[in-house]
Structures are given as structure tokens and as C-alpha cells.
Amino acid sequence: MVSFALLSDSYSRKSVTVLGHLFQRNVVLGVSGGIAAYKSAELIRQLKTRGADVRVVMTRGAREFITPLTLQALSGHPVHADLLDPEAELGMGHIELARWADLLLVAPATADLLARLAQGRADDLLTTVALACPAPLMLAPAMNQQMWRNTATQDNLQRLQARGVHMVGPAAGEQACGDVGPGRMEDPAIIAAAAASLFESGELAGRRVVITAGPTREALDPVRYISNHSSGRMGYALARAAAEAGARTTLISGPVDLHTPEGVERVDVVSAEDMLEASLSRLTDCDIFIACAAVADYRPADVAGDKIKKNEERMTLELVRNPDIVAAVSAHPQRPFTVGFAAETRDLLSYARDKLERKGLDMIVANDVSAEGIGFNSQENAVTVLWDGAEEALPRSGKQQIARDIITRLARRYRETVT
Ligand code: PMT
């Protein structure tokens, strides 16, 4: 009897039902020519629901089963089909596409495609991208059950797995050809979950992380307040990255216009005093505290009960200092591993190091907020992470990437310090 593997061991239905994140992950979806190609439409939807940006590469065979137009409409990008198409290469060429990918996912992966990948061939666009792509490769095989059981296919599979290629499925059951057995492409929802699980590092598994984000608003009267330009993006990106790393994550958020990241608990606050209270009340259940919020340092000494009238030409406001939330957390008897941010317009690193020491922090993220396009209310950031005698610069990138990089450094330092 020919032995064969049902590859649901690593990504079983049970193990991938937990929702994972693909937020701002670039997925190149390869579609090869089998009847299951029609399911790639639903797979694109599943990947995008999880936040991925998806670009599709189709083999010639795939185009016989489903039109590029369908997959273009669903992915929102032109479909890549030919290796030697000068027009396509003028847009995003095959090498650029391979570099762009955070993941190359091929679904369905036919027996022929498995064979060509196992041999390292580069005889069409998809196999060429696979050879040129440094990102992880995940395959969702789909074929007739006898083709799947064939020793040649099983050999190819073993060669690919030995090279670190990830497999999801196939499922067993009734097939389009009428056979019953293993070889059905796995359910698109399960494939998307398996893809997301590749990015779940588990670096903070079991840890409880509390993150402050966004601005605070300090009321002057019932309709006016003092605040700042923080959008909350950096803090929300950190919450998403902490959840991806396996942490039970709570976001204490000032007023922002953002969706709560999946799997993150959100507590809405308005003023610095609200934020302090929410932060301190969570310290019994907190291993790591990250203060990313742009907390107003001062608040009006008095809040007018009625709207202030504009009677005078000049008006003087008396302000009082707000509590320093991150310093209070770090001085607390139930002190967690405490990380602050330093938003500076000059002498970035020396001010940041001063705050690290003065506020008793374990780590600080220095953020130059004077540079164009980074810092407050921008999509990108560039920071330097500092701790006890060391520092590491994280170059300009999207805030989600910066957040993931910060969480990796923080998790490493946390393990060194706490264990
Ligand atoms: O929200 P975005 O638009 O994405 O912008 C991100 C950001 C620029 C706001 C973020 O990256 C950032 O730099 N956050 C810190 C802003 C800040 O207030 O920095 P600071 O240097 O003034 O404060 C130092 C640290 O003390 C910070 O961790 C801050 O959260 C904390 N703090 C400050 C004052 C206060 N009363 N309580 C505090 O906890």
C-alpha cells in the first residue's frame, strides 16, 4: 500500500479556528490550474477580512477555471499572469513582487505545481516568483485522491516540507471527479487562519499587556478642551502586535477614530485623570505596561460649568500639572515591566535617556516628532528603542511594522529581565 500524508496535522481545523492577524501583511496568492481555483475568490475575501493586502499570480491553467477579472476585482490589484509580459513588468515586476510579499500562498497547489516547485523550476511566473521570494511559502494542495496518494506526489511533498515549506490541507471527502478521499482543497477560512498563524510569534504568550494610546482631552468648559494631534495609530498598532505575539492585551484609549484591533480589550477614557485611574486599576492583571499615549501635561485649573463667553479681548487660563501616568505605574508596588515613549523635537536620545531614568522605566521608545511624515498623526514612524546602556534604531517604516519590531525587542528584554 502506498503511504500518504494528510497534512492537517500542523494546521488542523481545531488549531486554526482562533482568529489571527494579517493586518498590513502583503500576501502574494498563487493560483494554479485545478477545479478548486474557483475557491480562491473566497480565499481572497478571507485574507482581506484579516487585513492582508493581496496580489494574485495565476498560472495559465488557473485562467481556464476562473477569470483574472474576478480575482482582480476582489483583490483590488491587476492580476499577474505572464513572466514575459513587458507591460506587467513595468508595473510590479516579478522580482519586485517576490520582494513585496510577506507570504507566498499557493491555493490551490496542483500536483504539477508541487512537482515543479520541488524541482526548483522557473518555467512560469508563479514558480519564478517562488524561487525569488525570501518570504515563507505555504501551499494548499488540491488534486484527485489517487494523484495525492501517488508516491511521486508524496515524495515531492516531503522534499518541499524538508525545505520548510508550510502545508495546509488537503481535506478528505467527496471530490469534483466523483472520487472520495484526500485531495480536496482546504476550506478558505482555514487556509486564511493558517496563514495568519504563521505570523503569531507567541513571544508574549500568556502575558498581560496594557497599552495607553491616543491623546487626552482636558475640558475648559462643556464644549471646549485642550488636546494634541495624536491619532492613536502608534498605540493601536502596538496593541495589534502584542495580541499577535500572544499577549492578552488591553488598550486604554483616549478619543480617537480607529477600530479596535481584533482580540484586544479597549477601555475608552477622555482626560489624563481618567487614563491614570484606568491604568492603575489594571495593574493587578498586568505584566507589561506600554505608555504610548500623548497625555496632556497640564489641564485647566477650573472647568467652567457653562460655555465661556467671549467678553474680553484677552483671556488668561490657569493650568495645573496632570499626574504622570507612566511614572505612577513604574513607582507602584505592583510594578509591571514598564515601557514609555519620548516624543521630542530636539536632542532626541539624551532627552529620552533622561526620561528613561527619571521615570524609572525598563525601556523607552524615542520618537522624533519634528520630522516630516513621522510621529504624530502620520502613517509612518521611525524610532530608537533605548534600555539599560543600549539602544537600537528602527528605521522609517509603516507604524504597524515599527510596532511589531518594538514588541519583538520588548519581549526579548522582558524575558532577560524577568526570568
Ligand atoms: O498617536 P499617533 O498619531 O500615532 O502618534 C504617536 C505618538 C507620536 C503620540 C507616539 O509615538 C509617542 O511619541 N507617544 C508619546 C507622546 C508623549 O506624550 O511623549 P512625552 O515625551 O511627552 O511623554 C513621555 C512618556 O510619559 C510617554 O510615555 C507618555 O505616555 C508618558 N506620560 C506623559 C505625561 C503624563 N502626564 N503622563 C504620562 O504617562
Side-chain angles (χ1 to χ4, degrees):
M1 187 180 135
V2 181
S3 69
F4 66 95
L6 254 184
L7 298 171
S8 298
D9 296 356
S10 40
Y11 298 106
S12 68
R13 282 165 190 265
K14 227 196 222 158
S15 69
V16 296
T17 44
V18 179
L19 279 185
H21 301 261
L22 285 169
F23 188 76
Q24 289 185 6
R25 297 286 188 191
N26 297 336
V27 178
V28 170
L29 174 64
V31 183
S32 62
I35 182 65
Y38 79 91
K39 292 189 193 168
S40 55
E42 171 60 12
L43 179 55
I44 293 173
R45 209 184 60 77
Q46 293 281 344
L47 294 167
K48 287 186 69 108
T49 302
R50 287 172 180 273
D53 194 1
V54 182
R55 287 179 179 270
V56 179
V57 176
M58 295 178 85
T59 64
R60 191 180 312 138
R63 281 176 274 154
E64 301 291 329
F65 289 95
I66 185 165
T67 69
L69 195 60
T70 305
L71 303 191
Q72 171 175 320
L74 286 166
S75 67
H77 296 292
V79 164
H80 302 259
D82 295 311
L83 182 56
L84 303 174
D85 177 351
E87 237 175 71
E89 289 289 303
L90 274 179
M92 190 183 255
H94 64 281
I95 297 294
E96 227 178 324
L97 192 60
R99 286 197 193 124
W100 176 83
D102 294 315
L103 170 67
L104 174 57
L105 171 64
V106 184
T110 59
D112 173 65
L113 192 87
L114 291 184
R116 288 191 292 130
L117 288 173
Q119 287 173 23
R121 296 178 71 103
D123 46 10
D124 67 2
L125 180 61
L126 181 52
T127 48
T128 307
V129 169
L131 272 188
C133 186
L137 171 61
M138 177 175 262
L139 306 176
M143 64 199 74
N144 163 269
Q145 53 85 23
Q146 199 55 53
M147 291 169 79
W148 173 252
R149 293 176 207 261
N150 194 295
T151 312
T153 303
Q154 293 297 313
D155 283 352
N156 290 332
L157 194 73
Q158 276 172 21
R159 279 167 76 182
L160 289 164
Q161 283 184 302
R163 287 183 212 149
V165 174
H166 305 271
M167 300 284 172
V168 53
E174 198 172 328
Q175 301 202 292
C177 56
D179 280 9
V180 177
R184 286 164 58 100
M185 187 173 106
E186 189 50 283
D187 191 85
I190 292 180
I191 297 174
S197 73
L198 282 185
F199 297 102
E200 285 163 8
S201 63
E203 284 165 324
L204 293 177
R207 300 296 161 204
R208 295 151 306 172
V209 175
V210 175
I211 301 170
T212 67
T216 64
R217 285 181 185 170
E218 311 300 328
L220 278 164
D221 69 13
V223 296
R224 302 184 181 95
Y225 55 81
I226 298 173
S227 191
N228 59 64
H229 293 294
S230 169
S231 63
R233 281 191 201 105
M234 192 66 239
Y236 276 57
L238 282 165
R240 195 174 283 110
E244 281 175 358
R248 194 141 55 77
T249 307
T250 301
L251 196 48
I252 300 177
S253 174
V256 298
D257 190 17
L258 295 174
H259 293 294
T260 311
E262 200 171 271
V264 170
E265 180 203 15
R266 169 168 163 182
V267 179
D268 286 316
V269 296
V270 176
S271 68
E273 287 179 308
D274 298 341
M275 193 173 268
L276 175 71
E277 193 190 327
S279 300
L280 294 182
S281 73
R282 272 158 186 84
L283 291 188
T284 47
D285 199 19
C286 174
D287 299 303
I288 298 168
F289 183 86
I290 309 173
C292 182
V295 185
D297 288 320
Y298 292 89
R299 67 179 185 279
D302 298 302
V303 182
D306 292 311
K307 186 181 169 208
I308 300 168
K309 292 290 174 196
K310 53 174 187 296
N311 297 328
E312 311 295 335
E313 277 308 307
R314 277 176 170 251
M315 172 178 176
T316 305
L317 279 179
E318 193 189 348
L319 301 177
V320 292
R321 272 286 277 274
N322 262 332
D324 190 314
I325 300 167
V326 76
V329 167
S330 130
H332 198 274
Q334 280 171 304
R335 180 188 189 283
F337 184 87
T338 309
V339 181
F341 270 67
E344 308 293 348
T345 53
R346 66 185 174 90
D347 300 326
L348 179 67
L349 296 186
S350 60
Y351 280 140
R353 205 163 273 291
D354 173 62
K355 280 180 184 164
L356 177 74
E357 280 157 27
R358 198 160 32 83
K359 299 193 184 208
L361 308 178
D362 296 290
M363 207 172 210
I364 197 158
V365 181
N367 201 163
D368 179 353
V369 290
S370 68
E372 186 74 13
I374 61 167
F376 281 93
N377 200 16
S378 57
Q379 301 290 344
E380 297 192 329
N381 215 352
V383 300
T384 301
V385 185
L386 299 98
W387 62 98
D388 203 11
E391 63 188 53
E392 187 178 349
L394 303 179
R396 184 169 175 151
S397 181
K399 280 186 175 166
Q400 193 57 61
Q401 187 55 49
I402 293 281
R404 287 174 174 135
D405 291 345
I406 291 172
I407 291 293
T408 299
R409 272 65 182 179
L410 177 160
R412 197 183 304 142
R413 186 70 191 137
Y414 173 77
R415 282 193 300 274
E416 284 167 8
T417 315
V418 173
T419 53

